[in-house]
Amino acid sequence: MGHKEKSKERKEKRLQEISLLRTIPYADHQRWWSKETIAVVTGGNRGIGFEISRQLADHGVTVIVTSRDASVGVESIKVLQEGGMEHVNCHQLDILEPSSIIQFSEWLKENYGGLDILVNNAGVNFNHGSHNSVENARNVIETNYFGTKSMTEAMIPLMKPSSHGGRIVNVSSRLGRLNGKRNRIENEAMREQLSDVESLSEEVIDGAVSTFLQQVEDGTWVSGGWPQTFTDYSVSKLVVNAYTRFMAKKLSEREEDQKIYINCYCPGWVKTALTGYAGSVTVEEGADTGVWLALLPDQAITGKFFAERREIKF
């Protein structure tokens, strides 16, 4: 059996283990949450976002599903309610529009007093199969990175004080790994800069983004050492990962009852619209690690990257 087959076999075995773990209910002493616990899931109206919303609601958390199209959000929570989940609501949100984020923030504070869990799931991808165009690079970066960043910054002041800590989960991808065997960033200086957590800053991360977008505009991105598969999507997730590590360090300085833990995870190549339904992982499997991270009992884990409920390297 070759390396590829062995790797696939290991992954399938792990997914089977997780499928079994999902059937085991949390013990009472592990359940730090209740229906008073508020989770916001961006892009929660379909795909992984919808399944994360469903699983969180199934665990007894009150879930706010956000979507760009308000009517689609209404339809999605109807489905959840028909499935017996009462504590769900929806609100229109476009993470690219500052005014939309402000409006949502005000509504959330007025109606729920804030939130406990944020799942930054909203994202876009325009490449499928072997196609690797960067014509939508700016849209991809603005949505997947700057949208995630804007939403995080807006929600942090609304995080409710808690001995269990607020939770932020960023949906990311192995495609954005700095040091992966495949698809890694070949620009060594930039790789080292983004790897150094101690000196990592928003300026460094935004600088990498600006360099990439400038090279896309100039037509020089191919020789820039960027990931060669799904380039714009991979870069967007690479900087989401870096931002997660930067924010973990920044948030660690907060007072004990004001703690916020932030992590990112790769759901795998899931059968959703984002992958052109070409994925090999079900939405239930893809959502699992995100839900697991959001609900971890006694969580003091922050600034880490996960897949299949295990920590992986950046």
Side-chain angles (χ1 to χ4, degrees):
M1 190 185 288
H3 175 74
K4 197 173 181 181
E5 287 78 14
K6 281 182 182 176
S7 177
K8 188 180 177 185
E9 191 179 88
R10 279 197 304 272
K11 189 173 180 181
E12 284 175 357
K13 189 180 176 185
R14 181 60 185 160
L15 289 174
Q16 285 170 4
E17 288 170 4
I18 291 169
S19 184
L20 178 62
L21 288 170
R22 278 208 308 276
T23 66
I24 303 169
Y26 284 90
D28 288 344
H29 72 276
Q30 294 176 307
R31 294 174 65 91
W32 58 268
W33 63 91
S34 69
K35 68 181 182 194
E36 307 304 320
T37 304
I38 310 301
V40 170
V41 182
T42 67
N45 55 292
R46 68 175 186 171
I48 296 170
F50 179 79
E51 183 58 24
I52 288 173
S53 301
R54 190 194 69 75
Q55 290 186 26
L56 285 171
D58 196 35
H59 282 300
V61 173
T62 293
V63 179
I64 314 298
V65 171
T66 78
S67 60
R68 275 181 299 182
D69 185 330
S71 62
V72 173
V74 170
E75 288 306 312
S76 66
I77 67 159
K78 273 185 191 172
V79 174
L80 293 173
Q81 287 165 341
E82 285 165 8
M85 292 155 208
E86 298 171 30
H87 303 292
V88 290
N89 203 345
C90 63
H91 197 278
Q92 192 276 335
L93 173 67
D94 184 342
I95 62 171
L96 291 179
E97 290 294 334
S99 60
S100 180
I101 293 177
I102 290 168
Q103 191 179 22
F104 173 73
S105 301
E106 289 170 350
W107 174 86
L108 183 68
K109 189 172 184 181
E110 187 180 329
N111 289 275
Y112 293 95
L115 75 163
D116 304 273
I117 298 166
L118 169 64
V119 181
N120 282 313
N121 164 74
V124 293
N125 170 43
F126 295 94
N127 287 313
H128 300 298
S130 58
H131 192 56
N132 189 34
S133 165
V134 291
E135 63 181 300
N136 295 295
R138 190 165 292 278
N139 186 357
V140 171
I141 296 288
E142 284 179 357
T143 305
N144 297 359
Y145 171 57
F146 287 111
T148 291
K149 187 176 165 183
S150 298
M151 195 60 191
T152 301
E153 288 170 356
M155 293 297 104
I156 284 172
L158 299 181
M159 282 279 182
K160 296 178 181 179
S162 162
S163 60
H164 300 285
R167 315 290 174 95
I168 301 175
V169 179
N170 292 329
V171 180
S172 189
S173 172
R174 284 185 180 95
L175 287 171
R177 290 172 76 179
L178 280 167
N179 296 297
K181 288 177 184 174
R182 294 175 300 161
N183 212 43
R184 75 174 187 171
I185 186 169
E186 295 298 340
N187 182 325
E188 202 170 319
M190 188 170 288
R191 193 166 72 237
E192 283 179 15
Q193 216 177 15
L194 292 170
S195 297
D196 187 354
V197 183
E198 293 309 309
S199 63
L200 199 57
S201 65
E202 282 187 76
E203 290 75 25
V204 167
I205 301 167
D206 290 355
V209 169
S210 296
T211 299
F212 171 65
L213 290 176
Q214 188 59 56
Q215 289 182 5
V216 166
E217 208 170 289
D218 297 343
T220 59
W221 65 272
V222 175
S223 57
W226 303 102
Q228 296 301 301
T229 306
F230 300 114
T231 300
D232 51 9
Y233 181 80
S234 298
V235 171
S236 75
K237 294 305 184 180
L238 184 150
V239 290
V240 163
N241 290 350
Y243 179 70
T244 301
R245 299 174 93 185
F246 163 71
M247 286 304 294
K249 186 165 178 278
K250 185 177 176 181
L251 293 169
S252 68
E253 297 162 5
R254 291 167 69 97
E255 296 294 321
E256 203 55 46
D257 68 337
Q258 302 284 333
K259 291 286 186 196
I260 298 172
Y261 304 113
I262 180 169
N263 294 287
C264 51
Y265 91 101
C266 174
W269 204 236
V270 185
K271 295 172 192 169
T272 63
L274 196 79
T275 65
Y277 298 97
S280 56
V281 177
T282 67
V283 283
E284 291 83 4
E285 291 165 340
D288 176 78
T289 300
V291 174
W292 173 74
L293 277 172
L295 299 181
L296 268 182
D298 305 318
Q299 176 170 337
I301 297 167
T302 194
K304 305 292 184 186
F305 190 17
F306 291 85
E308 291 99 43
R309 297 197 186 193
R310 285 178 175 163
E311 186 181 343
I312 59 175
K313 292 179 180 177
F314 282 96

